[in-house]
Amino acid sequence: MLKNSYQTRGLSFAFLIGPPRNLTRQIGMSIHSAVCEALGVDDIAFQYQPGERQRSGERLFSISLTREDERKSLTITIDRKAQDDPVRLFLGCSWPTSNDVVFEDFDLACEAAFTSLGDSWQRVLAEARIRGQAHAPDGSAVSFLSRDVLRLSRSDPRFHHDRLSFVSLKYETAAVQFAQGDELSNPKRDVSVEVLREDPRSLYVEVMSQWPQVTLSSEGAVSIDPSRIRSFRSPPSEYLSNTIDYTESVVLPHLDKI
């Protein structure tokens, strides 16, 4: 079964927060100190990069905190890439030793960053992403995806099965109306499954979940209902757990049944 061979390659989480504003090097250093204290470490590298000055007189910026331990790495980025963009608080971890360790680090780092930033920020979007790999059932990811999943006919001259070296599939779901008081319900999902390039016997699986503050109608219009605005009270671990549960209960079992 795919679930039994599944291995997590990376976890990431991001909040978009507003209103748009500039964060100085001094604020970045304050965040760095708070995160080091929260995680109980003193070897997190700090980098502040000022960006282009905007018409408003403000500069764009990027604050980066990184910590590497053999193959595992932890990245925390707070940046603003364009004048009208919100600020992004991003946390990423590659090759985690366990999901629980990442959950704790992300929750502590996020809380420390917001404590340093102060209370005048509004969270407008949450995004969780997991990346993993699993062994293809027949030992060939190309064969499994082309034959079993996509049902590509060997007799169809448009598909040269003997020369196929890469196959991928992707599907998306929309962020539909969410239940009042349930901020984790009905996120947007993006799912990608493809041949793992460095090991063609395996599948690369990436699942992204995104929770906007308000949802779009079927016509694409924004309809703001005061009772239907997400509050984003949950820590990163809850959004990541939701995405992992979706991967393990929907994505991998569906591929196993094909």
Side-chain angles (χ1 to χ4, degrees), residues 146-162:
S146 62
R147 182 193 63 203
D148 300 334
V149 178
L150 298 177
R151 310 289 186 184
L152 301 182
S153 172
R154 287 189 175 277
S155 61
D156 192 325
R158 294 174 299 176
F159 301 109
H160 300 280
H161 284 267
D162 59 331

Side-chain angles (χ1 to χ4, degrees), residues 15 123-126 183 211-213 230-235 239:
F15 272 131
R123 307 179 194 191
V124 296
L125 185 140
E183 62 182 278
W211 291 263
Q213 191 173 47
R230 295 189 203 266
S231 58
F232 297 112
R233 294 184 302 269
S234 297
Y239 298 98

Side-chain angles (χ1 to χ4, degrees), residues 4-192:
N4 292 338
S5 66
Y6 182 83
Q7 179 184 13
T8 301
R9 294 169 61 95
L11 301 170
S12 66
F13 177 80
F15 272 131
L16 296 187
I17 58 179
R21 67 183 76 174
N22 181 47
L23 296 182
T24 63
R25 177 182 293 273
Q26 287 70 28
I27 294 175
M29 293 175 67
S30 174
I31 294 171
H32 174 255
S33 296
V35 170
C36 286
E37 182 177 356
L39 298 184
V41 296
D42 59 4
D43 58 348
I44 298 179
F46 169 79
Q47 184 177 37
Y48 179 88
Q49 291 184 315
E52 296 180 359
R53 187 175 295 279
Q54 304 301 294
R55 294 189 301 273
S56 63
E58 293 184 336
R59 280 190 179 276
L60 305 179
F61 66 91
S62 175
I63 299 167
S64 297
L65 313 180
T66 55
R67 183 173 189 259
E68 296 190 3
D69 182 10
E70 296 182 349
R71 188 166 67 161
K72 176 186 173 183
S73 66
L74 173 68
T75 302
I76 303 167
T77 304
I78 304 153
D79 59 10
R80 184 176 166 211
K81 297 182 178 180
Q83 177 173 329
D84 297 325
D85 283 358
V87 174
R88 181 189 67 149
L89 169 59
F90 171 87
L91 304 103
C93 182
S94 63
W95 297 110
T97 53
S98 76
N99 290 340
D100 289 340
V101 171
V102 177
F103 292 169
E104 182 177 13
D105 285 350
F106 279 17
D107 289 352
L108 290 173
C110 187
E111 182 179 2
F114 275 117
T115 299
S116 294
L117 289 171
D119 300 327
S120 59
W121 294 86
Q122 183 178 15
R123 307 179 194 191
V124 296
L125 185 140
E127 180 181 293
R129 188 183 302 265
I130 67 170
R131 304 183 306 279
Q133 66 185 65
H135 296 307
D138 60 358
S140 170
V142 170
S143 176
F144 174 69
L145 289 178
S146 62
R147 182 193 63 203
D148 300 334
V149 178
L150 298 177
R151 310 289 186 184
L152 301 182
S153 172
R154 287 189 175 277
S155 61
D156 192 325
R158 294 174 299 176
F159 301 109
H160 300 280
H161 284 267
D162 59 331
R163 299 206 299 269
L164 276 178
S165 62
F166 183 81
V167 182
S168 67
L169 66 92
K170 181 181 175 94
Y171 73 82
E172 301 179 8
T173 70
V176 297
Q177 194 67 268
F178 48 88
Q180 184 175 356
D182 184 0
E183 62 182 278
L184 292 174
S185 65
N186 295 335
K188 170 182 169 60
R189 307 277 195 190
D190 287 4
V191 178
S192 299

Side-chain angles (χ1 to χ4, degrees), residues 199-221:
D199 182 3
R201 299 169 299 176
S202 300
L203 301 167
Y204 173 80
V205 181
E206 181 170 312
V207 180
M208 185 274 285
S209 303
Q210 193 176 78
W211 291 263
Q213 191 173 47
V214 296
T215 54
L216 300 178
S217 69
S218 58
E219 294 79 22

